[in-house]
Amino acid sequence: MSRQEALDLSEEKKLDLVCIAPKADPPVCKILDYGKYKYEQQKREKEAKKKQHTTQVKEIRLSTFIEDHDIMVKAKTGAKFLKDGNKLKVSLRFRGRERDYVARGQEVMEKFAEAVSEYGEMDKKPKFEGRSLTMILSPKSDKK
């Protein structure tokens, strides 16, 4: 149908002529209520956003000579973050002469990872980044 016929038909029905595929040969158009179409499209996008879950990266800092009880307290907080579906970045900063005790820092990281192993699994093993040792844990997936 010609362009003018389509426009006349859309005016007759008191609707809009919307070009869907302008680059097609011949161009494809549709007669519809454009305001209603835009509203429904926004509604669908909003619904899709509601179902989306964004994961945040929470951080917990440890120290080289932290006591076992303190590790457990921090692990409890970390477990809460992992339960909520967030990723967890655990960092241990070496200050001054503490750099001589890298092995002790590795032990602290292992204890922490073991304490939260019920709720999360290690994405990135402890690795040196500058003066700090960092590891990343993600929530356990329940795919069994």
Side-chain angles (χ1 to χ4, degrees):
M1 139 183 335
S2 73
R3 179 176 177 240
Q4 193 58 44
E5 286 177 45
L7 282 169
D8 291 340
L9 188 62
S10 68
E11 270 184 40
E12 186 181 303
K13 292 184 176 184
K14 295 182 181 171
L15 294 170
D16 301 310
L17 181 68
V18 180
C19 196
I20 293 174
K23 293 184 180 168
D25 190 38
V28 179
C29 296
K30 203 174 193 180
I31 297 173
L32 51 90
D33 184 359
Y34 189 66
K36 185 177 178 182
Y37 171 75
K38 288 283 282 182
Y39 171 74
E40 287 174 355
Q41 197 173 25
Q42 285 174 345
K43 204 172 173 182
R44 268 187 252 118
E45 286 174 7
K46 194 174 179 183
E47 196 65 37
K49 277 186 182 179
K50 276 184 186 177
K51 293 178 182 173
Q52 232 174 24
H53 182 265
T54 55
T55 50
Q56 289 183 317
V57 178
K58 302 281 189 171
E59 184 174 6
I60 288 185
R61 291 184 180 170
L62 303 173
S63 60
T64 313
F65 296 101
I66 189 171
E67 291 294 320
D68 289 343
H69 180 264
D70 296 333
I71 291 174
M72 298 318 279
V73 169
K74 297 234 182 200
K76 203 178 224 182
T77 306
K80 190 172 79 178
F81 291 150
L82 291 168
K83 277 186 213 171
D84 292 341
N86 297 311
K87 283 193 170 194
L88 184 64
K89 178 180 178 183
V90 184
S91 58
L92 192 148
R93 189 135 191 210
F94 292 96
R95 295 188 298 269
R97 292 183 184 163
E98 288 179 357
R99 291 187 87 178
D100 297 338
Y101 300 98
V102 175
R104 173 78 175 130
Q106 290 277 2
E107 286 174 28
V108 169
M109 289 292 232
E110 285 173 23
K111 279 182 187 176
F112 185 87
E114 195 177 302
V116 295
S117 63
E118 187 180 329
Y119 304 102
E121 48 202 20
M122 203 178 297
D123 267 2
K124 196 173 122 188
K125 293 189 184 286
K127 182 182 171 190
F128 256 102
E129 291 175 2
R131 286 190 200 180
S132 59
L133 194 61
T134 58
M135 78 173 162
I136 295 179
L137 302 165
S138 62
K140 268 195 175 170
S141 53
D142 295 325
K143 296 176 185 173
K144 289 183 180 179

